Amino acid sequence: MVSSLRYELDAAVRKMNKALPAFDAAVGSASNITDGITRAIVKAQNTPIKVALGEDDLKLLASHRQTLIDAETKLIQSAHDAHLNTLRRTLQRDPAIYLSGGLATFITWLFWISLLVTLCLIIIGAIHLFGA
């Protein structure tokens, strides 16, 4: 039984050794194909393309450009109008002053510094009035 297993194993190794050159050739062929495709892509990327536009083509391009500009203008205007309507509704509900960004930070710091200076002056005044 061991000899038959050994015989089958030897037969399998011989078949593997026969098939190995075919596998190596297939790997080399696949590598060549990949290299060829890569070279073709690089060559296509580096190839300048020349395009000539006729008068009709330029008119069509200008027409499409103007259509795009009009559509963008309408979109921006509708977004602007929606923002203004939201702002109007907010101000009608709550007519307060809203500050944001750098101005709000500056005013907040100014408030706290003024408060600190006022408290210091009150304390100094109280010391002079009652202490001295």
Side-chain angles (χ1 to χ4, degrees), residues 1-11:
M1 179 163 169
V2 173
S3 65
S4 68
L5 288 175
R6 184 178 188 96
Y7 175 75
E8 289 178 20
L9 182 61
D10 287 341

mmCIF file with all atom_site columns, all heavy atoms in Angstrom, residues 1-11:
data_model
loop_
_atom_site.group_PDB
_atom_site.id
_atom_site.type_symbol
_atom_site.label_atom_id
_atom_site.label_alt_id
_atom_site.label_comp_id
_atom_site.label_asym_id
_atom_site.label_entity_id
_atom_site.label_seq_id
_atom_site.pdbx_PDB_ins_code
_atom_site.Cartn_x
_atom_site.Cartn_y
_atom_site.Cartn_z
_atom_site.occupancy
_atom_site.B_iso_or_equiv
_atom_site.pdbx_formal_charge
_atom_site.auth_seq_id
_atom_site.auth_comp_id
_atom_site.auth_asym_id
_atom_site.auth_atom_id
_atom_site.pdbx_PDB_model_num
ATOM 1  N N   . MET A 1 1  ? 0.810  -1.179 0.000   1.00 0.00 ? 1  MET A N   1
ATOM 2  C CA  . MET A 1 1  ? 0.000  0.000  0.000   1.00 0.00 ? 1  MET A CA  1
ATOM 3  C C   . MET A 1 1  ? 0.866  1.261  0.000   1.00 0.00 ? 1  MET A C   1
ATOM 4  O O   . MET A 1 1  ? 0.567  2.229  -0.693  1.00 0.00 ? 1  MET A O   1
ATOM 5  C CB  . MET A 1 1  ? -0.908 -0.045 1.216   1.00 0.00 ? 1  MET A CB  1
ATOM 6  C CG  . MET A 1 1  ? -1.774 1.166  1.318   1.00 0.00 ? 1  MET A CG  1
ATOM 7  S SD  . MET A 1 1  ? -3.089 0.792  2.419   1.00 0.00 ? 1  MET A SD  1
ATOM 8  C CE  . MET A 1 1  ? -3.736 2.342  2.649   1.00 0.00 ? 1  MET A CE  1
ATOM 9  N N   . VAL A 1 2  ? 1.931  1.245  0.789   1.00 0.00 ? 2  VAL A N   1
ATOM 10 C CA  . VAL A 1 2  ? 2.827  2.389  0.845   1.00 0.00 ? 2  VAL A CA  1
ATOM 11 C C   . VAL A 1 2  ? 3.508  2.580  -0.500  1.00 0.00 ? 2  VAL A C   1
ATOM 12 O O   . VAL A 1 2  ? 3.700  3.711  -0.955  1.00 0.00 ? 2  VAL A O   1
ATOM 13 C CB  . VAL A 1 2  ? 3.857  2.197  1.987   1.00 0.00 ? 2  VAL A CB  1
ATOM 14 C CG1 . VAL A 1 2  ? 4.896  3.288  1.956   1.00 0.00 ? 2  VAL A CG1 1
ATOM 15 C CG2 . VAL A 1 2  ? 3.169  2.129  3.317   1.00 0.00 ? 2  VAL A CG2 1
ATOM 16 N N   . SER A 1 3  ? 3.838  1.503  -1.153  1.00 0.00 ? 3  SER A N   1
ATOM 17 C CA  . SER A 1 3  ? 4.512  1.621  -2.443  1.00 0.00 ? 3  SER A CA  1
ATOM 18 C C   . SER A 1 3  ? 3.586  2.222  -3.496  1.00 0.00 ? 3  SER A C   1
ATOM 19 O O   . SER A 1 3  ? 4.026  2.970  -4.367  1.00 0.00 ? 3  SER A O   1
ATOM 20 C CB  . SER A 1 3  ? 5.046  0.259  -2.894  1.00 0.00 ? 3  SER A CB  1
ATOM 21 O OG  . SER A 1 3  ? 3.975  -0.630 -3.125  1.00 0.00 ? 3  SER A OG  1
ATOM 22 N N   . SER A 1 4  ? 2.278  1.883  -3.428  1.00 0.00 ? 4  SER A N   1
ATOM 23 C CA  . SER A 1 4  ? 1.352  2.456  -4.405  1.00 0.00 ? 4  SER A CA  1
ATOM 24 C C   . SER A 1 4  ? 1.174  3.959  -4.160  1.00 0.00 ? 4  SER A C   1
ATOM 25 O O   . SER A 1 4  ? 1.070  4.739  -5.104  1.00 0.00 ? 4  SER A O   1
ATOM 26 C CB  . SER A 1 4  ? 0.008  1.731  -4.377  1.00 0.00 ? 4  SER A CB  1
ATOM 27 O OG  . SER A 1 4  ? -0.666 1.993  -3.161  1.00 0.00 ? 4  SER A OG  1
ATOM 28 N N   . LEU A 1 5  ? 1.162  4.359  -2.887  1.00 0.00 ? 5  LEU A N   1
ATOM 29 C CA  . LEU A 1 5  ? 1.078  5.781  -2.562  1.00 0.00 ? 5  LEU A CA  1
ATOM 30 C C   . LEU A 1 5  ? 2.323  6.509  -3.051  1.00 0.00 ? 5  LEU A C   1
ATOM 31 O O   . LEU A 1 5  ? 2.247  7.617  -3.590  1.00 0.00 ? 5  LEU A O   1
ATOM 32 C CB  . LEU A 1 5  ? 0.898  5.997  -1.058  1.00 0.00 ? 5  LEU A CB  1
ATOM 33 C CG  . LEU A 1 5  ? -0.467 5.640  -0.475  1.00 0.00 ? 5  LEU A CG  1
ATOM 34 C CD1 . LEU A 1 5  ? -0.437 5.791  1.038   1.00 0.00 ? 5  LEU A CD1 1
ATOM 35 C CD2 . LEU A 1 5  ? -1.542 6.538  -1.056  1.00 0.00 ? 5  LEU A CD2 1
ATOM 36 N N   . ARG A 1 6  ? 3.475  5.851  -2.846  1.00 0.00 ? 6  ARG A N   1
ATOM 37 C CA  . ARG A 1 6  ? 4.724  6.462  -3.294  1.00 0.00 ? 6  ARG A CA  1
ATOM 38 C C   . ARG A 1 6  ? 4.746  6.598  -4.810  1.00 0.00 ? 6  ARG A C   1
ATOM 39 O O   . ARG A 1 6  ? 5.200  7.601  -5.347  1.00 0.00 ? 6  ARG A O   1
ATOM 40 C CB  . ARG A 1 6  ? 5.894  5.619  -2.789  1.00 0.00 ? 6  ARG A CB  1
ATOM 41 C CG  . ARG A 1 6  ? 7.224  6.209  -3.107  1.00 0.00 ? 6  ARG A CG  1
ATOM 42 C CD  . ARG A 1 6  ? 8.327  5.318  -2.531  1.00 0.00 ? 6  ARG A CD  1
ATOM 43 N NE  . ARG A 1 6  ? 9.577  5.966  -2.658  1.00 0.00 ? 6  ARG A NE  1
ATOM 44 C CZ  . ARG A 1 6  ? 10.177 6.677  -1.730  1.00 0.00 ? 6  ARG A CZ  1
ATOM 45 N NH1 . ARG A 1 6  ? 9.614  6.816  -0.559  1.00 0.00 ? 6  ARG A NH1 1
ATOM 46 N NH2 . ARG A 1 6  ? 11.335 7.240  -1.957  1.00 0.00 ? 6  ARG A NH2 1
ATOM 47 N N   . TYR A 1 7  ? 4.250  5.542  -5.501  1.00 0.00 ? 7  TYR A N   1
ATOM 48 C CA  . TYR A 1 7  ? 4.198  5.571  -6.955  1.00 0.00 ? 7  TYR A CA  1
ATOM 49 C C   . TYR A 1 7  ? 3.286  6.717  -7.434  1.00 0.00 ? 7  TYR A C   1
ATOM 50 O O   . TYR A 1 7  ? 3.634  7.458  -8.351  1.00 0.00 ? 7  TYR A O   1
ATOM 51 C CB  . TYR A 1 7  ? 3.700  4.208  -7.481  1.00 0.00 ? 7  TYR A CB  1
ATOM 52 C CG  . TYR A 1 7  ? 3.507  4.187  -8.967  1.00 0.00 ? 7  TYR A CG  1
ATOM 53 C CD1 . TYR A 1 7  ? 4.617  4.122  -9.823  1.00 0.00 ? 7  TYR A CD1 1
ATOM 54 C CD2 . TYR A 1 7  ? 2.241  4.254  -9.526  1.00 0.00 ? 7  TYR A CD2 1
ATOM 55 C CE1 . TYR A 1 7  ? 4.444  4.122  -11.188 1.00 0.00 ? 7  TYR A CE1 1
ATOM 56 C CE2 . TYR A 1 7  ? 2.065  4.246  -10.890 1.00 0.00 ? 7  TYR A CE2 1
ATOM 57 C CZ  . TYR A 1 7  ? 3.173  4.173  -11.717 1.00 0.00 ? 7  TYR A CZ  1
ATOM 58 O OH  . TYR A 1 7  ? 2.999  4.169  -13.081 1.00 0.00 ? 7  TYR A OH  1
ATOM 59 N N   . GLU A 1 8  ? 2.109  6.875  -6.797  1.00 0.00 ? 8  GLU A N   1
ATOM 60 C CA  . GLU A 1 8  ? 1.184  7.954  -7.178  1.00 0.00 ? 8  GLU A CA  1
ATOM 61 C C   . GLU A 1 8  ? 1.795  9.326  -6.897  1.00 0.00 ? 8  GLU A C   1
ATOM 62 O O   . GLU A 1 8  ? 1.625  10.264 -7.681  1.00 0.00 ? 8  GLU A O   1
ATOM 63 C CB  . GLU A 1 8  ? -0.141 7.802  -6.430  1.00 0.00 ? 8  GLU A CB  1
ATOM 64 C CG  . GLU A 1 8  ? -0.972 6.634  -6.917  1.00 0.00 ? 8  GLU A CG  1
ATOM 65 C CD  . GLU A 1 8  ? -2.255 6.472  -6.138  1.00 0.00 ? 8  GLU A CD  1
ATOM 66 O OE1 . GLU A 1 8  ? -2.689 7.474  -5.489  1.00 0.00 ? 8  GLU A OE1 1
ATOM 67 O OE2 . GLU A 1 8  ? -2.819 5.389  -6.163  1.00 0.00 ? 8  GLU A OE2 1
ATOM 68 N N   . LEU A 1 9  ? 2.502  9.451  -5.777  1.00 0.00 ? 9  LEU A N   1
ATOM 69 C CA  . LEU A 1 9  ? 3.142  10.714 -5.443  1.00 0.00 ? 9  LEU A CA  1
ATOM 70 C C   . LEU A 1 9  ? 4.233  11.046 -6.457  1.00 0.00 ? 9  LEU A C   1
ATOM 71 O O   . LEU A 1 9  ? 4.340  12.190 -6.914  1.00 0.00 ? 9  LEU A O   1
ATOM 72 C CB  . LEU A 1 9  ? 3.723  10.659 -4.016  1.00 0.00 ? 9  LEU A CB  1
ATOM 73 C CG  . LEU A 1 9  ? 4.385  11.925 -3.508  1.00 0.00 ? 9  LEU A CG  1
ATOM 74 C CD1 . LEU A 1 9  ? 3.377  13.065 -3.470  1.00 0.00 ? 9  LEU A CD1 1
ATOM 75 C CD2 . LEU A 1 9  ? 4.983  11.705 -2.140  1.00 0.00 ? 9  LEU A CD2 1
ATOM 76 N N   . ASP A 1 10 ? 5.031  10.064 -6.838  1.00 0.00 ? 10 ASP A N   1
ATOM 77 C CA  . ASP A 1 10 ? 6.059  10.296 -7.851  1.00 0.00 ? 10 ASP A CA  1
ATOM 78 C C   . ASP A 1 10 ? 5.435  10.701 -9.180  1.00 0.00 ? 10 ASP A C   1
ATOM 79 O O   . ASP A 1 10 ? 5.935  11.592 -9.879  1.00 0.00 ? 10 ASP A O   1
ATOM 80 C CB  . ASP A 1 10 ? 6.916  9.033  -8.043  1.00 0.00 ? 10 ASP A CB  1
ATOM 81 C CG  . ASP A 1 10 ? 7.867  8.789  -6.879  1.00 0.00 ? 10 ASP A CG  1
ATOM 82 O OD1 . ASP A 1 10 ? 8.126  9.771  -6.132  1.00 0.00 ? 10 ASP A OD1 1
ATOM 83 O OD2 . ASP A 1 10 ? 8.342  7.660  -6.719  1.00 0.00 ? 10 ASP A OD2 1
ATOM 84 N N   . ALA A 1 11 ? 4.326  10.082 -9.543  1.00 0.00 ? 11 ALA A N   1
ATOM 85 C CA  . ALA A 1 11 ? 3.641  10.409 -10.800 1.00 0.00 ? 11 ALA A CA  1
ATOM 86 C C   . ALA A 1 11 ? 3.116  11.858 -10.740 1.00 0.00 ? 11 ALA A C   1
ATOM 87 O O   . ALA A 1 11 ? 3.218  12.600 -11.728 1.00 0.00 ? 11 ALA A O   1
ATOM 88 C CB  . ALA A 1 11 ? 2.500  9.422  -11.050 1.00 0.00 ? 11 ALA A CB  1
#
